[in-house]
Amino acid sequence: MIRKYLIKELLNKGKFLIDKEVLVEGWIRSFRYSIFITLNDGSTIRNLQIVLSKKLDKIIKKITIGSSIRVIGIVKKSIGIKQYIELQSSDITIYESVDPKILQKSILQPKKHSLEKLREQAHLRFRTNIFSCIMRIRHHIAFCIHKYFHEHDFFYIHTPIITTSNCEGTGKMFQITTMDLKNSKNYTKDFFKCQTYLSVSGQLEAETASLGLGKVYTFGPVFRAENSNTSRHLSEFWMIEPEIAFYHLEENINLAENFLKFIVRYIIDNSIEDLIFLNQCLEKWNQKKKNFLLEKLELILKFPFKQISYTEAIKILDQEEKKKKIKFFHPIIWGMDLQSEHEQYLVDKYFKIPVIIFDYPCRVKAFYMRMNNDGKTVRAMDILFPEIGEIVGGSQREERYDILLQRMKDTNIDINKLWWYLDTRRFGSVPHSGFGLGFDRLVQFITGMNNIRDVIPFPRTPNNAEF
């Protein structure tokens, strides 16, 4: 029986399979001189060269770029310098040919296409080199996230996508309903008998789980209805949110840094071919220096992240502006929420390594963050990465019932909806911490892509929900 191989497996084992008969399947990337077929099945960025047998001349007219085929042939050492092995075909079955007229209008046509054009045909862009690279890396990032938490004794839990509350207490949410809202807003007649939304975070529910299981994490889709039409925002995206009982802020910071470095190390070790290809593409597009993508990732591993308080960050930014090294659009005032320009200056210009900022003013952070003794700041932390800014946001949670209750009142949180969250502080409450990591933004950083729409299969953004 002839063994079927993925192209990745065949290329990796090529020298051991010389003169062996094998079976491969895939899509035709190119067809040259009526004899050489370039085949790819998505398992690797590398292609397999198929040499067409003369006895198969009858099918030449049916062979077009994009066509799906099944090939049986003998593995041979290639005389060409671009590949170590090639497949001398003895039998080819064409599953489906592509009409050349249709091909001309698609992104599968072998010429340069813009990333915007690829998005217009998102159902086909998995077949392109650039997007298949990104998707393989995205897979490996997701896999190693689960691997890290499993090896560190976390339990994976599924939190609700349908919710009645807004975790942060701010921002717009997508409402879900079975009612005709033009005629009635009596939500007691709705499916859930109340107003419901798509969740912006699974954190609050994850906290309740951590107070029984110790260490938990969520990894799922979340939704925000803000009209943020930027290269860093999506309306539907994925979040990783660990929650840990008996953890203080310092332990939370150490966990987040260790976690991020584990992911970057794993991707360098397991996705190097795709990283190299992306680096070559980005060199051409953005005039970047050779190996800049790998150097950027190695920088994450090379040094401990710089830790500074919010107050220290404000002082540095204020001094830099007074020295006329930079003029910020948003004025530097203690108590303000740091903007992207401030975050990126600290990371890219001042420290030039990842930065962790902690102890933010309570007025710019959520109600559930633990109040410091000064009564002005909370035990919050953000991790800022080069080029992309904030990639992690977390805090030690407020475990004291009376203080949490007051914070909810001060920030106009509906206690009637979150009675259960408040109630957890009455049943053996303990210090606990957690953070949120934007998965898509992490993929964007690792792949070096300028637009977050290019790192998720079917981006959902304002005015766009196609496919």
Side-chain angles (χ1 to χ4, degrees):
M1 183 176 179
I2 302 172
R3 180 176 170 184
K4 182 166 73 172
Y5 285 87
L6 288 175
I7 289 177
K8 178 180 180 180
E9 183 184 15
L10 182 61
L11 293 174
N12 288 342
K13 296 181 177 180
K15 63 182 179 179
F16 303 110
L17 297 172
I18 301 295
D19 294 329
K20 298 284 179 64
E21 188 175 42
V22 301
L23 184 156
V24 294
E25 295 165 312
W27 295 272
I28 297 174
R29 288 284 176 85
S30 69
F31 185 34
R32 298 175 292 117
Y33 311 120
S34 298
I35 187 171
F36 297 114
I37 294 173
T38 301
L39 197 69
N40 192 284
D41 62 1
S43 63
T44 174
I45 186 60
R46 293 175 291 164
N47 299 313
L48 176 65
Q49 179 165 282
I50 309 293
V51 182
L52 197 62
S53 170
K54 289 183 179 180
K55 70 176 184 178
L56 299 174
D57 285 349
K58 293 181 180 179
I59 70 167
I60 285 179
K61 292 182 180 180
K62 297 180 180 179
I63 294 176
T64 56
I65 292 171
S67 297
S68 52
I69 63 173
R70 172 182 183 268
V71 184
I72 295 174
I74 305 296
V75 178
K76 294 290 183 180
K77 187 172 181 180
S78 177
I79 60 173
I81 60 174
K82 292 186 177 180
Q83 59 276 327
Y84 181 78
I85 64 166
E86 60 190 19
L87 196 63
Q88 300 278 351
S89 64
S90 57
D91 182 74
I92 293 180
T93 301
I94 298 177
Y95 288 129
E96 187 70 39
S97 293
V98 177
D99 187 330
K101 293 181 181 178
I102 297 176
L103 179 66
Q104 288 179 1
K105 299 178 181 179
S106 79
I107 58 174
L108 300 182
Q109 186 181 9
K111 69 175 188 178
K112 185 178 179 180
H113 301 283
S114 68
L115 294 171
E116 290 80 7
K117 183 69 175 178
L118 297 190
R119 276 178 236 138
E120 291 174 7
Q121 298 181 29
H123 60 302
L124 296 178
R125 65 176 177 166
F126 295 96
R127 302 262 292 275
T128 65
N129 284 332
I130 185 75
F131 199 67
S132 63
C133 272
I134 294 168
M135 287 299 100
R136 284 189 292 269
I137 290 173
R138 185 181 174 101
H139 157 78
H140 283 296
I141 296 172
F143 176 81
C144 78
I145 285 169
H146 288 295
K147 176 180 172 67
Y148 178 89
F149 285 128
H150 178 72
E151 292 177 353
H152 288 78
D153 297 318
F154 281 73
F155 297 106
Y156 177 37
I157 65 166
H158 301 108
T159 52
I161 291 176
I162 298 172
T163 183
T164 59
S165 61
N166 185 340
C167 175
E168 301 293 328
T170 59
K172 295 182 179 180
M173 301 173 71
F174 291 104
Q175 184 176 351
I176 60 173
T177 181
T178 57
M179 294 172 54
D180 181 356
L181 296 180
K182 291 182 179 179
N183 298 320
S184 174
K185 289 192 178 181
N186 181 4
Y187 293 106
T188 60
K189 297 181 180 180
D190 206 351
F191 188 87
F192 292 106
K193 307 299 183 185
C194 61
Q195 259 183 295
T196 51
Y197 307 88
L198 293 178
S199 177
V200 299
S201 169
Q203 178 204 311
L204 302 187
E205 291 88 350
E207 277 190 61
T208 67
S210 72
L211 296 175
L213 295 171
K215 300 165 78 172
V216 303
Y217 74 103
T218 74
F219 188 173
V222 292
F223 309 84
R224 294 191 181 177
E226 281 90 0
N227 190 21
S228 299
N229 218 337
T230 76
S231 62
R232 297 171 57 216
H233 292 89
L234 293 165
S235 301
E236 174 188 277
F237 53 102
W238 289 71
M239 286 285 289
I240 300 102
E241 296 176 296
E243 291 291 330
I244 315 97
F246 307 103
Y247 251 46
H248 296 267
L249 183 66
E250 295 76 16
E251 296 167 292
N252 196 34
I253 288 173
N254 292 337
L255 172 70
E257 179 174 347
N258 183 268
F259 176 51
L260 287 166
K261 288 184 173 181
F262 177 87
I263 295 170
V264 170
R265 178 79 269 161
Y266 186 91
I267 295 306
I268 291 174
D269 291 343
N270 291 275
S271 299
I272 191 65
E273 287 183 346
D274 287 323
L275 287 173
I276 290 172
F277 178 83
L278 287 175
N279 194 93
Q280 292 170 345
C281 292
L282 295 168
E283 281 177 32
K284 295 175 185 176
W285 297 339
N286 303 329
Q287 302 298 306
K288 297 284 189 178
K289 66 179 182 178
K290 190 174 182 180
N291 293 328
F292 88 98
L293 187 56
L294 290 172
E295 288 179 5
K296 181 181 76 170
L297 297 179
E298 291 286 358
L299 182 66
I300 303 300
L301 305 174
K302 191 173 182 180
F303 302 105
F305 296 176
K306 179 65 180 179
Q307 297 187 28
I308 58 171
S309 69
Y310 169 89
T311 300
E312 290 173 304
I314 290 293
K315 184 177 179 181
I316 290 170
L317 294 167
D318 185 52
Q319 290 175 343
E320 291 294 288
E321 191 167 52
K322 286 178 179 176
K323 290 177 184 177
K324 297 184 178 180
K325 289 188 175 182
I326 183 72
K327 178 64 178 177
F328 295 112
F329 179 79
H330 297 90
I332 307 300
I333 303 169
W334 195 98
M336 66 176 293
D337 197 4
L338 293 178
Q339 303 298 310
S340 293
E341 60 173 334
H342 307 133
E343 295 173 342
Q344 292 182 344
Y345 183 82
L346 289 170
V347 178
D348 297 331
K349 303 293 184 182
Y350 194 81
F351 291 111
K352 299 180 179 178
I353 59 172
V355 177
I356 301 174
I357 301 178
F358 59 90
D359 286 354
Y360 281 81
C362 61
R363 74 180 76 170
V364 300
K365 290 297 182 180
F367 71 94
Y368 52 74
M369 299 185 178
R370 194 182 200 277
M371 187 71 73
N372 282 317
N373 293 334
D374 60 13
K376 298 187 300 181
T377 61
V378 289
R379 303 243 67 195
M381 66 90 171
D382 288 342
I383 299 182
L384 314 179
F385 262 21
E387 298 179 358
I388 209 162
E390 182 190 338
I391 200 164
V392 164
S395 70
Q396 184 173 334
R397 316 310 190 188
E398 182 57 77
E399 83 277 13
R400 298 164 293 185
Y401 176 88
D402 292 340
I403 296 176
L404 178 60
L405 177 61
Q406 189 59 51
R407 281 282 287 155
M408 293 174 80
K409 291 178 179 178
D410 292 343
T411 52
N412 298 315
I413 299 297
D414 190 338
I415 297 172
N416 292 325
K417 287 185 178 180
L418 286 180
W419 64 268
W420 53 270
Y421 179 75
L422 186 62
D423 205 36
T424 58
R425 273 56 176 179
R426 302 168 62 191
F427 291 86
S429 182
V430 299
H432 59 287
S433 300
F435 61 83
L437 167 63
F439 179 68
D440 307 282
R441 195 170 287 186
L442 177 62
V443 178
Q444 186 183 4
F445 171 78
I446 289 176
T447 59
M449 302 305 292
N450 290 329
N451 198 315
I452 200 166
R453 294 175 174 92
D454 297 319
V455 302
I456 189 169
F458 301 102
R460 298 295 185 245
T461 55
N463 305 316
N464 179 44
E466 200 169 4
F467 304 103

